[in-house]
Amino acid sequence: MAFGLGIVALVLGAVGGWLFGSGIGASESFRELMRSGGSGTVDQQQMSQELMSDPAVMGAVGSALVVAGIGFVIGLWALVQGIIATATGRGRVWGVLAIVLAVLAGIVFFVAYGASIAAAVAGAR
């Protein structure tokens, strides 16, 4: 059970990270920043307001947060259940694999986020 939950958390982490990065990367203010090469003065409050006022960005980021949140909860469940399985000796190998997958899900989220942002930057140039 814990191993299966770890796989689900891994998939949801990858999807959530990609959606989150593509939502941020799709914003016009982010693309404008990338076209200028990241140089110049960037007003953080103005960029935040532009991101918050764009409905497409908010929709993508909102759905990404839902997917990533569900993945986080399932990953936490897999981690706890894997620790219990490992400690009690009931399916020790599956428990260790579940722990590894649950931890890897968080890492995969950030890798997918970074790859999505990198794709947006490459598309903006």
Side-chain angles (χ1 to χ4, degrees):
M1 182 76 175
F3 179 75
L5 291 171
I7 290 175
V8 170
L10 186 69
V11 170
L12 289 177
V15 170
W18 187 265
L19 288 174
F20 191 69
S22 63
I24 298 292
S27 71
E28 188 58 38
S29 60
F30 180 79
R31 288 185 181 196
E32 186 62 36
L33 178 66
M34 290 302 111
R35 281 190 207 106
S36 69
S39 62
T41 59
V42 177
D43 185 15
Q44 293 292 330
Q45 289 180 342
Q46 180 184 1
M47 190 168 178
S48 293
Q49 289 296 332
E50 289 176 11
L51 288 174
M52 297 296 257
S53 65
D54 190 358
V57 172
M58 290 308 295
V61 170
S63 62
L65 289 176
V66 168
V67 170
I70 292 171
F72 174 76
V73 169
I74 291 175
L76 187 60
W77 181 7
L79 180 67
V80 169
Q81 194 168 0
I83 290 171
I84 291 170
T86 302
T88 60
R90 295 179 291 171
R92 183 162 287 162
V93 173
W94 294 107
V96 169
L97 290 174
I99 293 168
V100 169
L101 285 175
V103 170
L104 193 61
I107 295 168
V108 166
F109 173 83
F110 289 109
V111 168
Y113 171 70
S116 180
I117 289 289
V121 168
R125 293 186 175 217

